[in-house]
Amino acid sequence: MDRPGPLASESADAVAGPTEAVPPNPIQYARQGRIGVITVDYPPVNAVGHGVRSGLVAALDAGLADDGADALLLVCAGRTFMAGADIREFGKPSAPPTLPEVVARLDAATKPVIAAIHGTALGGGLEVALACHLRVALTSAKLGLPEVKLGLLPGAGGTQRLPRLVGAAKALDMILSGDPVGAEEALALGLVDAVEDGTSPLEAGLRAAERLLADGSRPQPVSARTDRIAGTDPALFTAKRAELAKRQPHLFSPHRIVDAVEAAVILPFGEGTARERELFLACMDSPQRAGLIHAFFAEREVAKVPGLPAGTPTRDIRKVGVIGAGTMGGGIAMCFANAGIPVVLVDSTQDGLERGVAAIRRNYDSTFRKGRLTAAQLDERMALIHPTLSYDELADADLVVEAAFESMEVKQAIFQTLDRTCKPGAILATNTSTLDVDAIAAATGRPQDVLGMHFFSPANVMRLLEVVRGTRTSDTVLATAMGLARRIGKVGVAVGVCYGFVGNRILHQRGRESMALVEEGASPEQVDRVLTEFGFPLGHFSMTDLAGIDVGWRIREERRKAGDPEAQSPNWLDTLAERGRYGQKTSAGVYRYEPGSRTPIPDPEVAAVIEEDRLRRGIVPRPVSDGEVRERCLYVMVNEASKILEEGIAARPVDIDAIWLHGYGFPSWHGGLLFWANREGLGKIAEAVQRYHRDIGGPQWRPSALLLQCAAEGRALGC
């Protein structure tokens, strides 16, 4: 279903819904000496809703009419300054005054207005501060314009005032990234006029106002300043457009942001704000806006697990164990160390342990060289990771995550050892990507304490964490894992037990269809091109090379040995693995790679292997259109996702959307797999699925009953 978007007349930064009582009048005006104080008190984040906007105008009028007030101070109660638009008003007609009208009133105020910023000043909140004549921030404050993350641009003067304070180049960087800057950086840039430490925003603001009055000067409105934009080289915008065309060709709002900031440089302020408004409304009309907002809310919604009672008690996680010092285990250890949680890293060999610790060190060194980690932080994180060969050192761990070889026999043996070693109440988690969590839990005498924590590679980078609830996993253990996901900066999504869970189960069907398309006549590069043109950062075969062909090969071998009736027979990809072409790590997989490069290069040797496979199977290749590639790769995913919903493996469409957004690079402007499917048209998809089931066959094309039902009833999945 479409999620309502932000108000068309507002600059929009979506914020969390309120959980506290809203005061009857969120804006108060009072005078302290010669300074009129306007206080915003609208819990929890002082969102710029209608009550705040109208209250600001009324308080501003009161301050301007107050003969005893020589300057006005804007300050916010609670933990933060204004943090964007009000979620309560999303999708509703905007009531005046609009945010552009409010900031225009502040800008034109006949008395100086000072903004005292603490917490975060984001989106419309920062645009309010930009309209004030001076800005003072506490050292902990963060300031930013994150609208681009919702497919929008600042619509209340942000693209016009920010360049006038920090210059066009830095304004472009800030608005295009959407990332906030800290107070000290804001001061260095000219975004704020002063930074104060160890004080309240009211005290800091009053001191700034008193200094201004003592000085006797009248600060110039930001709208009247041109010194930071005068002489801006037009080549800046040409270069930025070229960069976006290469890096973000699919996205709509970043290109409009460049247009808006350019307007700030080449047009008078009034004409620039009018141009900004046109561009803002164009972004509002873009389908990408709805998709990006759905993606934004998805991350919040999945944290609330259906059927898990609110207030479920959780266990304290103070020490974690990780089994396996390979790529996954090392990355998982880093996740906990990054959050300040001590980790015991266990491996079966000294050589494996040393290689794992060295790889962790190289990762941290790389982050340090990029300036994203201080030397002290690097040393602190390395000190939190204790390598050992002994399981006995896990005796007091609160959680142990197993990240060993993807073999049921291996994992069950490890869990038997953990069951004997770990203290009562310790949570035992497996990082398996495909295996039966219940079968692993059965190897212990505490299945209620066992669950899956499926990290995605590289674990220290990827945000997704599939939290796999076994049949006997307790509510407390599930709630603890979901809370821990947030603590370590992951998007935790609760899923049920089946082969591949949610993400990999869908991926396997896309992989099956990608392989079939190549066998029938498409090339791997054609399949990949269609997927990247849709918006995936990598095509299916490029992703296979990145992950390692040997990983999937060993999983398929495991299934074939187990006699799984749905296990695929050996194919050309297995032939590549048997030849040692494992992907990027061997500089050869489906593609070949130059030393030190990740750019895939089509390889005649692979084309020959594919042709040999076709001959062996008696397949005569045929031309395959891009349209067929798109349908078969994407519609098979939708069909499988619908089956996952039918079976209750995922509770809601939004869970599947979040998994594919954060774990598999599904383009965020499409909103997520099932959000996109609803927009694509379930009737269209259902008709194609039935056609492919008739013409191609196979379990992947057996139509989902839920998909057919929703299509027949004309409703969206999940409604």
Side-chain angles (χ1 to χ4, degrees):
M1 294 288 287
D2 275 11
R3 178 162 302 280
L7 303 177
S9 60
E10 302 298 323
S11 172
D13 168 50
V15 295
T19 57
E20 305 168 37
V22 178
N25 184 0
I27 310 293
Q28 300 292 331
Y29 175 78
R31 184 153 47 82
Q32 294 201 23
R34 297 183 298 161
I35 302 163
V37 180
I38 300 170
T39 303
V40 180
D41 187 5
Y42 189 48
V45 292
N46 297 313
V48 193
H50 175 255
V52 169
R53 298 193 305 273
S54 58
L56 280 173
V57 170
L60 179 63
D61 287 344
L64 295 175
D66 184 353
D67 292 337
D70 296 325
L72 304 178
L73 171 64
L74 175 60
V75 68
C76 294
R79 65 178 186 264
T80 187
F81 193 72
M82 301 179 201
D86 190 346
I87 198 173
R88 298 179 185 90
E89 298 183 355
F90 277 26
K92 299 177 182 177
S94 179
T98 66
L99 190 55
E101 291 168 344
V102 173
V103 299
R105 294 287 297 274
L106 287 166
D107 184 273
T110 54
K111 296 178 182 178
V113 183
I114 300 98
I117 300 168
H118 73 297
T120 56
L122 300 175
L126 180 56
E127 288 181 296
V128 168
L130 290 172
C132 296
H133 301 92
L134 284 177
R135 285 151 298 285
V136 58
L138 300 192
T139 52
S140 58
K142 293 187 179 298
L143 304 87
L145 295 169
E147 286 84 354
V148 68
K149 297 181 180 182
L150 301 181
L152 295 168
L153 56 80
T159 66
Q160 305 303 296
R161 289 187 175 86
L162 186 62
R164 285 171 160 79
L165 288 174
V166 305
K170 185 60 183 178
L172 279 172
D173 289 344
M174 287 182 63
I175 303 172
L176 286 170
S177 73
D179 297 331
V181 297
E184 294 294 345
E185 183 178 356
L187 179 63
L189 292 171
L191 178 52
V192 300
D193 302 283
V195 172
E196 297 214 14
D197 191 12
T199 185
S200 73
L202 176 61
E203 292 170 346
L206 289 172
R207 281 197 292 270
E210 291 290 358
R211 288 195 299 269
L212 177 67
L213 293 178
D215 181 58
S217 63
R218 172 63 195 269
Q220 192 178 32
V222 175
S223 61
R225 293 181 53 175
T226 59
D227 54 300
R228 296 301 301 272
I229 56 175
T232 299
D233 188 347
L236 169 68
F237 304 104
T238 303
K240 189 60 69 174
R241 289 186 177 100
E243 177 189 332
L244 290 174
K246 182 177 181 180
R247 186 168 52 89
Q248 296 180 327
H250 302 92
L251 293 179
F252 183 79
S253 67
H255 301 268
R256 309 290 85 73
I257 286 168
V258 177
D259 294 342
V261 174
E262 183 179 46
V265 171
I266 64 176
L267 296 176
F269 182 80
E271 293 179 28
T273 54
R275 177 62 175 148
E276 176 193 78
R277 201 68 194 156
E278 292 173 4
L279 295 165
F280 175 77
L281 294 174
C283 291
M284 285 296 300
D285 289 340
S286 168
Q288 291 188 3
R289 187 266 309 167
L292 286 163
I293 288 174
H294 176 80
F296 175 87
F297 278 99
E299 182 175 336
R300 294 165 180 246
E301 289 183 28
V302 297
K304 305 167 188 174
V305 181
L308 186 65
T312 297
T314 60
R315 297 179 189 173
D316 195 12
I317 305 298
R318 297 185 179 182
K319 182 179 179 180
V320 170
V322 176
I323 308 297
T327 301
M328 281 304 300
I332 293 169
M334 291 177 68
C335 292
F336 293 111
N338 293 345
I341 302 172
V343 182
V344 176
L345 181 62
V346 182
D347 202 84
S348 58
T349 69
Q350 185 64 35
D351 184 52
L353 204 58
E354 290 174 359
R355 283 199 311 270
V357 172
I360 292 170
R361 179 77 195 204
R362 284 195 301 273
N363 278 326
Y364 279 138
D365 283 342
S366 175
T367 306
F368 167 73
R369 288 193 300 271
K370 294 172 183 175
R372 297 201 293 263
L373 199 66
T374 66
Q377 289 171 325
L378 188 157
D379 291 340
E380 287 169 6
R381 294 182 189 188
M382 287 300 301
L384 286 169
I385 299 173
H386 173 63
T388 181
L389 297 175
S390 174
Y391 276 73
D392 292 341
E393 296 197 46
L394 299 173
D396 61 344
D398 303 299
L399 165 74
V400 179
V401 181
E402 166 273 315
F405 181 67
E406 192 75 348
S407 160
M408 180 61 75
E409 183 180 355
V410 170
K411 292 182 186 293
Q412 286 180 328
I414 289 172
F415 272 75
Q416 287 171 353
T417 302
L418 293 176
D419 193 28
R420 293 191 302 268
T421 306
C422 295
K423 67 183 181 182
I427 297 173
L428 308 182
T430 174
N431 181 56
T432 180
S433 58
T434 58
L435 299 179
D436 187 338
V437 172
D438 288 330
I440 295 171
T444 76
R446 52 172 104 181
Q448 73 280 359
D449 291 334
V450 179
L451 82 170
M453 292 181 69
H454 179 209
F455 290 79
F456 285 69
S457 184
N460 55 303
V461 174
M462 298 295 289
R463 295 193 64 213
L464 177 63
L465 177 63
E466 279 184 320
V467 180
V468 188
R469 182 174 196 170
T471 303
R472 297 180 62 183
T473 304
S474 73
D475 283 355
T476 292
V477 168
L478 178 62
T480 301
M482 291 296 291
L484 184 61
R486 290 192 297 275
R487 183 177 168 191
I488 63 175
K490 303 296 184 185
V491 178
V493 185
V495 301
V497 176
C498 68
Y499 178 80
F501 315 126
V502 171
N504 278 345
R505 177 170 160 181
I506 295 170
L507 179 65
H508 290 164
Q509 298 300 1
R510 190 185 79 177
R512 182 194 295 262
E513 216 50 33
S514 297
M515 290 293 294
L517 284 160
V518 171
E519 289 162 2
E520 292 169 32
S523 65
E525 48 267 33
Q526 179 191 5
V527 173
D528 281 1
R529 176 177 51 75
V530 171
L531 290 172
T532 55
E533 286 176 353
F534 179 76
F536 283 100
L538 291 173
H540 183 82
F541 295 107
S542 293
M543 186 182 71
T544 301
D545 274 356
L546 178 63
I549 292 176
D550 55 318
V551 176
W553 173 48
R554 291 192 175 102
I555 291 172
R556 290 190 293 275
E557 287 290 292
E558 181 92 6
R559 294 185 74 185
R560 287 192 278 260
K561 288 176 184 176
D564 187 334
E566 289 198 12
Q568 296 171 327
S569 60
N571 54 42
W572 61 268
L573 208 55
D574 296 324
T575 302
L576 295 181
E578 290 165 0
R579 294 185 182 184
R581 296 182 65 116
Y582 292 166
Q584 288 189 13
K585 58 189 169 187
T586 59
S587 297
V590 178
Y591 303 99
R592 68 177 181 87
Y593 300 86
E594 296 291 347
S597 172
R598 293 181 179 270
T599 302
I601 303 171
D603 192 335
E605 180 182 338
V606 175
V609 169
I610 293 170
E611 187 56 37
E612 289 168 9
D613 190 65
R614 289 171 181 156
L615 286 170
R616 180 175 60 83
R617 296 167 183 265
I619 297 172
V620 177
R622 63 176 177 84
V624 178
S625 71
D626 287 357
E628 181 180 351
V629 172
R630 181 183 184 275
E631 275 196 356
R632 287 173 62 177
C633 285
L634 295 175
Y635 290 6
V636 77
M637 294 168 64
V638 175
N639 192 47
E640 194 66 23
S642 300
K643 293 175 185 177
I644 287 170
L645 289 174
E646 287 175 31
E647 298 165 19
I649 301 300
R652 304 158 293 185
V654 71
D655 295 324
I656 296 173
D657 284 348
I659 285 169
W660 269 81
L661 284 164
H662 295 288
Y664 298 87
F666 194 90
S668 56
W669 61 91
H670 287 310
L673 175 61
L674 294 182
F675 183 88
W676 169 80
N678 289 330
R679 294 203 142 204
E680 177 83 352
L682 296 187
K684 176 182 178 182
I685 294 173
E687 185 278 328
V689 168
Q690 292 175 95
R691 171 165 39 86
Y692 288 127
H693 184 237
R694 180 182 67 246
D695 297 344
I696 298 173
Q700 74 273 26
W701 289 117
R702 176 181 58 79
S704 157
L706 178 62
L707 175 63
L708 296 182
Q709 180 184 358
C710 290
E713 295 174 0
R715 61 185 176 91
L717 283 164
C719 297

